[in-house]
Amino acid sequence: ITMTLEEIRGQENTMENTDRVQSAGAALEELLVAAKTQDYLTVGVYESAKVMNVDPDSVAFCVLATDEEYECDIALQIHFTLIQAFCFDNDINVVRVNDIERLADLVGADETGEPKDAHCILVTSPSANPWKDPALDKLSLFCEESRSVYDWVPTITLPER
């Protein structure tokens, strides 16, 4: 079997990209767990919109989540578009995750024990004393690399349990 240089490079890029997405998934899980223990998570579309409106400088990272069940939810898609626009305008990195149940498990339940609305999750950080986290740095680099190839809202896959 003979392969052209382009085919070989294409295979290498696919492998590199798979590794990038997997390591970004691990970093996202790490970030969400750490942010939850620090109480730096805002979970829910409306709660996130409130934070973005009141204190946009406190938002460090944004995660939008959906699955097949919600793909046709027009209201949710409009919220996503507005949230993405806000993030772009304020230089906030934003990613998509397709496993909303896994994300809901990571961020936990609300006071009543109901799973939280994990469609939008913000990692916040006090403006006066910004929170430094290696996982946040990894994800910022991942987003920057994705934007360099015109992938404005990259999709991340969380690691399997």
Side-chain angles (χ1 to χ4, degrees), residues 20-21 23-32 59-63 87-88 90-95 123 125 130-149 151-154 156:
R20 263 184 73 236
V21 171
S23 85
L28 179 60
E29 183 174 17
E30 205 177 293
L31 177 67
L32 292 174
V59 180
F61 197 78
C62 177
V63 181
C87 290
F88 294 153
N90 290 279
D91 295 320
I92 298 164
N93 288 314
V94 56
V95 297
V123 175
S125 172
W131 181 49
K132 295 286 175 225
D133 186 87
L136 184 58
D137 295 339
K138 276 184 202 163
L139 287 164
S140 296
L141 182 63
F142 173 81
C143 289
E144 200 177 301
E145 288 170 351
S146 297
R147 281 192 299 273
S148 74
V149 292
D151 185 1
W152 304 109
V153 183
I156 290 182

Side-chain angles (χ1 to χ4, degrees), residues 28 63-67 95-100 103 154-156 158:
L28 179 60
V63 181
L64 298 175
T66 189
D67 56 18
V95 297
R96 273 189 182 257
V97 173
N98 289 329
D99 189 348
I100 193 159
L103 208 51
T155 299
I156 290 182
L158 291 166

